[in-house]
């Protein structure tokens, strides 16, 4: 995987979580983290080919006000596609992976993080938020993918404000 990032300054490419304080008096980002913290799942839509989009429900945690993080396997097609084209649409979802009522899609830019302290932080936060769902997901991954590593890459998505411009294929 070329173009992946670490959260340590090793090779010049650094993924830094957005830790800006929340805006007082109800600014645009004042409830940004709450949307992702309260979501049971998040639907992540990515570009999979020319004029093709694929949506997958993911277990996520908020990072700061404008970012969220989830984990994928380094051997998955999703990881390769996000390394090639990091544009995504994210939308809060319910427990079954359907869009939450009243929610809407937001554009984002995904970065793959392969090493550093962000990996351990995301793993512990996801374990705390989703408790019993992690062993179930790990078992399903083992059944479907055999000995492929489970969730060894963190995807850090910087979410933009809602935009009327659609995500067009390149």
């Amino acid at each position: 995987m070329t173009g992946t990032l670490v959260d340590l300054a090793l090779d010049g490419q650094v993924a830094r979580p957005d830790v800006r304080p929340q805006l007082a008096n109800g600014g645009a980002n004042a409830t940004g983290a709450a949307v992702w913290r309260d979501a049971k799942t998040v639907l992540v839509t990515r570009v999979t080919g020319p004029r093709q989009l694929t949506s997958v429900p993911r277990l996520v945690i908020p990072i700061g006000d404008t970012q969220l993080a989830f984990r994928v396997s380094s051997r998955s097609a999703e990881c390769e596609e996000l390394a090639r084209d990091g544009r995504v649409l994210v939308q809060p979802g319910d427990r079954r992976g359907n869009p939450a009522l009243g929610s809407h899609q937001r554009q984002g830019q995904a970065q793959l993080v392969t090493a550093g302290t962000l990996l351990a932080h995301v793993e512990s936060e996801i374990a705390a938020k989703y408790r019993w769902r992690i062993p179930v997901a790990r078992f399903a991954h083992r059944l479907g993918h055999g000995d492929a590593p489970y969730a060894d890459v963190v995807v850090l998505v910087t979410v933009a404000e809602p935009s009327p411009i659609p995500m067009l294929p390149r």
Side-chain angles (χ1 to χ4, degrees), residues 81-102:
E81 290 161 357
L82 289 173
R84 192 173 46 246
D85 187 354
R87 297 175 298 157
V88 295
L89 296 172
V90 291
Q91 181 174 10
D94 60 12
R95 290 185 192 276
R96 294 183 175 159
N98 299 318
L101 293 175

Side-chain angles (χ1 to χ4, degrees), residues 46-54 81 84-85 87 169-170:
R46 67 185 188 282
V47 177
T48 55
R51 301 196 179 270
Q52 291 181 330
L53 300 175
T54 301
E81 290 161 357
R84 192 173 46 246
D85 187 354
R87 297 175 298 157
R170 288 186 181 179

Side-chain angles (χ1 to χ4, degrees), residues 60-77:
V60 302
I61 59 159
I63 306 286
D65 287 338
T66 61
Q67 292 179 318
L68 56 98
F70 61 93
R71 301 181 310 170
V72 297
S73 173
S74 59
R75 290 196 203 161
S76 68

